[in-house]
Amino acid sequence: MIPHISGRPRRTLVLAATLGAALTLGAPAAFAGTPVVPSAPSAAAEAPAKAPAAAPASQSATWAAGTRAYLVITAPGDNPAVRSAITANGGTVFSAFNAIGVIVAHSSSAGFATAMRGVSGVQQVGATRTSDVPADAYNPALPANPAQSTTPAGEPVRADMSQIKADQAWAVTTGSSAVKVGILDTGVDDQHQDLAPNFNAADSVSCAYGKPDTRAGAWRDVGEHGTHVAGTVAAAKNGKGVVGVAPGVKISSVRIAEPNTSLFFAENTICGFVWAGDHGFKVTNNSYYTDPWQFNCPDNADQAAIIEGVRRAQEYAEGKGSLQVAAAGNENYDLANKTTDSASPNDSTPVTRTITNACMDIPTELPGVVTVAANGDGVTKASFSNFGRGIIDVSAPGSNVYSTVPGGKYGSMSGTSMASPHVAGVAALIASTNPGITPAQIREKLATQANDIPCPADGRCTGTTANNGFFGEGQVDALKAVGSTPPPGKYFENLGDFAIGDNTTVESPITVSGVTGNAPATLKVGVKVVHTYIGDLKVDLIAPDGTVYTLHNRSGGSTDNINQVYTVNASSEVANGTWKLRVNDNAGGDTGRIDAWNLTF
C-alpha cells in the first residue's frame, strides 16, 4: 500500500535525487508522502553523539506478549479511582494526560476494555491498535545519529518555492526565531547542515508509544520522512543545499512514529499535540494519519475513543495557541463521499469495510485543522492527492519536492506530505509578521490570501472557482500572506460539528464578549455547512436579542455544501451576547452538518 503519502506518514510516493543522483524507492505504509533517497557522495565523519540519558523506567516489570494499548477517557483532571480500576482490571497506567482526561493504559487481558467501560467516571475506552505493544516501549532504543555528508556551495531557488512566491516573501520576512514549528513525524536529523541552524533541541522529544521521552536524540529520524518535511518548512538560508519556506523560524522534532513500523498510533499523536500546546508551538505539521485505521468510525467503540482522544488533544493545542496543518492523503480518494476502506487495520490484516462520511481521517478531518491537498505541475491536482468539497482547505506543491534527508543528504519526494509543510511554512511566516495572531486568524489568512484555482474538466471536482473540492480556497501564496494584516476587528468562531437531520432545525452558538457597543454594518459571517443538497436548507443568523438575519434561503438546488462569507448589517444589535447560526432542513433524503462558522466584528 502507499504509505501516508510521503512514506508511512501521509504515505509518501516516489523518487529521489541526491546531489544529481536519481533513484526511486518504495514507500512505507502510513505516510502522506513517500521519499525516495539514493546514496549520497562520500560522508564526513559522524559527529560525536551525546551520551544517552537513562531510559525511562518501565511501567511493567516485564513485557508480556499480548499487551495492547488503550485510551481510557475521563473528565479532565487526575482521577485516582480510575487509575485504581485500571490496575484492578489487569492493566497498568503507561502515561496520563490529565489536562484533557486521557489515560494510556496497557493490558494483556482480553476483557480489559469491556471491564473498564463499566467503571464509574470512565466515559470511553478504546484499543489503539490491533497488534501488540512492542517491548521497545518499555526501554526505547535511541535512533541512530547518522554520519553527515558535506554539500558544495550553491542554493538555487526551487520551482515549488517560486510557485508559492516564497522567494519573494523572503524580502518581507524569512521568519522570526521566536516562532516555533513542530514537526510531528518520523523524527528529524538535527545534525543536518541545512537544519542544524534552526533546530530547537530544547523543545524536541519522542512521543513514540504515547509518553514523552526527552533524552537527547530521542527525536531523531527513524526513517527519512520527517527530515524531508522539516527542510521544506525551514531549511536554513545559508548558501548551500535548499531553502525552506520560512528559513528564519525554529523547528522542533516531535517523533510520533514508532521504529521499525513507522506507524503513528493515537497515543503518540495525543502526546505530540499536548507537547505542542505546552511548549508554545505556533504551528505543527502533520503529514500522516493516525494508525491503524485510515478512517475512524464513531459507531465502533475503539475508534470512537481514538477520535475523542485525538480531538481533545488537538483542541488543547489550539487553545494554547497552536495551529495544526495536515496532509489530506495520497489515495486519490473523495473524502466528502466515503464508501469503503480497504487499508485498515494496517498493523495486522487489512479488510475491506463499508464506511460513511461519519468516519474520519484524523487528524486531517478534525475541526480547526488546516487540510492540505497537493498540486502537481503548476496549478493542477496531483494525481495521487485526496480531495473533497468542504474538506480541503488549501493546496500547495506536492510533486517532486526536493528537500533534506538524513545524513546531510537531499532527495525528492512526492505526496500530500510534501504539500502540507509548504502551508505550515506559510503559516509560520504569517505568525512571524503578526505577533499575537491566533490560530483562527492564521487559518483565515491562509484562506483569504490563497490564489483561486477553478475545477478542471473533471466531474469529481465540485464547487466554485473560489472554493472547490480539489483545491479548497486555492494554492497558498506566501507573498500575499505576509503582505497585509490579519482580518480587522474581533474574531469569534465555533468549530463544533452539529448534525443536520432530515426536516430538523439545529443551532450552533457563539458567545461574543469584549466588543464595545453595537455590531458593525459590515458584520462578516463565515459559514461552512457540509450537506448533500443545499436547496433543502434555510440558514439564519440569530442575534442575541432574537432578531433573525437570513443568509441562505433554499437556493442552490442540488448543489452540495455552503462555504461562504456573508456580510450582514447588524448595526442595530448589541455586539456582546450569544449569537446563533440556525439551519433548517426542509425536506427528506439529504443530511449533513454545520462544520464551522465565525463572526468578524
Side-chain angles (χ1 to χ4, degrees):
M1 63 177 291
I2 295 177
H4 287 162
I5 261 195
S6 193
R8 211 290 30 164
R10 220 28 265 198
R11 329 312 177 188
T12 301
L13 289 181
V14 293
L15 24 91
T18 301
L19 298 177
L23 181 64
T24 300
L25 304 181
F31 296 127
T34 300
V36 178
V37 185
S39 56
S42 59
E46 179 177 358
K50 296 181 181 179
S58 171
Q59 297 293 324
S60 175
T62 57
W63 174 84
T67 298
R68 299 291 170 88
Y70 299 86
L71 299 182
V72 179
I73 297 178
T74 70
D78 192 15
N79 194 320
V82 172
R83 287 173 176 263
S84 296
I86 289 171
T87 302
N89 285 289
T92 58
V93 174
F94 185 74
S95 61
F97 303 95
N98 294 334
I100 60 172
V102 175
I103 298 171
V104 179
H106 288 179
S107 179
S108 57
S109 169
F112 178 77
T114 300
M116 287 302 301
R117 287 173 186 138
V119 172
S120 176
V122 171
Q123 298 173 358
Q124 295 185 63
V125 178
T128 64
R129 53 184 84 202
T130 62
S131 57
D132 290 359
V133 174
D136 184 65
Y138 299 112
N139 189 12
L142 286 173
N145 184 9
Q148 299 293 316
S149 300
T150 56
T151 300
E155 197 175 46
V157 174
R158 307 195 316 266
D160 56 316
M161 295 298 160
S162 297
Q163 190 169 325
I164 63 169
K165 300 187 179 72
D167 52 340
Q168 297 177 55
W170 298 330
V172 179
T173 180
T174 56
S176 167
S177 61
V179 171
K180 293 188 282 189
V181 179
I183 310 298
L184 277 61
D185 214 291
T186 60
V188 173
D189 178 6
D190 55 301
Q191 305 295 318
H192 195 294
Q193 59 201 338
D194 242 351
L195 301 178
N198 292 334
F199 192 78
N200 173 19
D203 293 310
S204 293
V205 70
S206 170
C207 271
Y209 310 116
K211 180 169 60 178
D213 179 353
T214 58
R215 293 176 296 161
W219 58 71
R220 292 198 175 115
D221 212 330
V222 294
E224 298 163 332
H225 191 267
T227 300
H228 193 278
V229 164
T232 299
V233 174
K237 203 170 189 297
N238 55 2
K240 62 181 72 174
V242 298
V243 188
V245 176
V249 305
K250 292 298 183 182
I251 49 174
S252 298
S253 172
V254 181
R255 178 167 68 87
I256 60 174
E258 297 182 4
N260 303 317
T261 63
S262 285
L263 296 181
F264 298 66
F265 293 103
E267 60 268 36
N268 310 1
T269 302
I270 291 167
C271 172
F273 283 156
V274 172
W275 182 272
D278 287 341
H279 289 261
F281 295 173
K282 197 64 182 177
V283 182
T284 71
N285 186 80
N286 302 270
S287 291
Y288 61 91
Y289 67 69
T290 301
D291 299 298
W293 307 100
Q294 183 173 9
F295 301 105
N296 286 271
C297 300
D299 59 354
N300 176 285
D302 291 328
Q303 294 164 41
I306 290 173
I307 294 171
E308 179 63 12
V310 179
R311 182 195 65 78
R312 289 190 186 189
Q314 167 347 73
E315 253 184 21
Y316 178 83
E318 182 168 345
K320 293 279 190 173
S322 177
L323 175 70
Q324 278 55 254
V325 178
N330 306 325
E331 294 77 29
N332 193 25
Y333 193 99
D334 186 352
L335 297 175
N337 292 284
K338 301 184 184 82
T339 55
T340 58
D341 173 12
S342 299
S344 308
N346 64 6
D347 65 335
S348 54
T349 303
V351 297
T352 299
R353 57 178 179 150
T354 299
I355 62 172
T356 69
N357 283 348
C359 302
M360 301 176 69
D361 180 339
I362 61 174
T364 296
E365 291 190 86
L366 290 176
V369 174
V370 176
T371 303
V372 183
N375 293 122
D377 295 332
V379 291
T380 61
K381 172 190 175 295
S383 61
F384 50 79
S385 182
N386 286 353
F387 57 97
R389 179 81 169 106
I391 305 295
I392 302 302
D393 291 307
V394 290
S395 66
S399 294
N400 298 333
V401 175
Y402 189 71
S403 186
T404 49
V405 294
K409 305 173 189 176
Y410 300 84
S412 294
M413 302 184 196
S414 292
T416 55
S417 279
M418 283 61 256
S420 181
H422 286 88
V423 177
V426 173
L429 291 179
I430 292 172
S432 298
T433 54
N434 298 278
I437 193 171
T438 67
Q441 288 173 322
I442 298 175
R443 275 198 305 274
E444 181 73 15
K445 198 167 182 63
L446 284 169
T448 58
Q449 299 302 321
N451 293 314
D452 294 342
I453 305 176
C455 279
D458 187 328
R460 300 173 302 163
C461 184
T462 60
T464 65
T465 297
N467 192 308
N468 57 62
F470 275 12
F471 311 109
E473 297 280 355
Q475 183 172 263
V476 291
D477 186 315
L479 179 62
K480 287 167 63 178
V482 300
S484 59
T485 56
K490 296 256 186 179
Y491 183 90
F492 303 84
E493 67 180 355
N494 188 331
L495 297 174
D497 286 349
F498 292 78
I500 304 169
D502 284 330
N503 295 296
T504 61
T505 298
V506 61
E507 294 182 342
S508 173
I510 289 178
T511 299
V512 173
S513 61
V515 180
T516 303
N518 285 6
T522 56
L523 177 66
K524 301 298 183 184
V525 186
V527 176
K528 188 173 183 180
V529 173
V530 177
H531 196 279
T532 51
Y533 197 99
I534 65 172
D536 290 352
L537 303 181
K538 183 173 185 289
V539 182
D540 299 311
L541 175 69
I542 313 299
D545 67 356
T547 301
V548 177
Y549 297 86
T550 297
L551 307 177
H552 171 94
N553 193 5
R554 305 190 68 175
S555 61
S558 61
T559 306
D560 58 357
N561 303 330
I562 299 172
N563 199 334
Q564 186 172 337
V565 177
Y566 300 89
T567 301
V568 174
N569 183 352
S571 57
S572 62
E573 306 293 337
V574 174
N576 292 334
T578 300
W579 298 72
K580 297 178 182 178
L581 187 74
R582 175 184 295 164
V583 178
N584 307 98
D585 184 292
N586 296 280
D590 293 272
T591 59
R593 68 180 186 275
I594 300 175
D595 187 70
W597 72 289
N598 57 68
L599 295 169
T600 302
F601 287 80

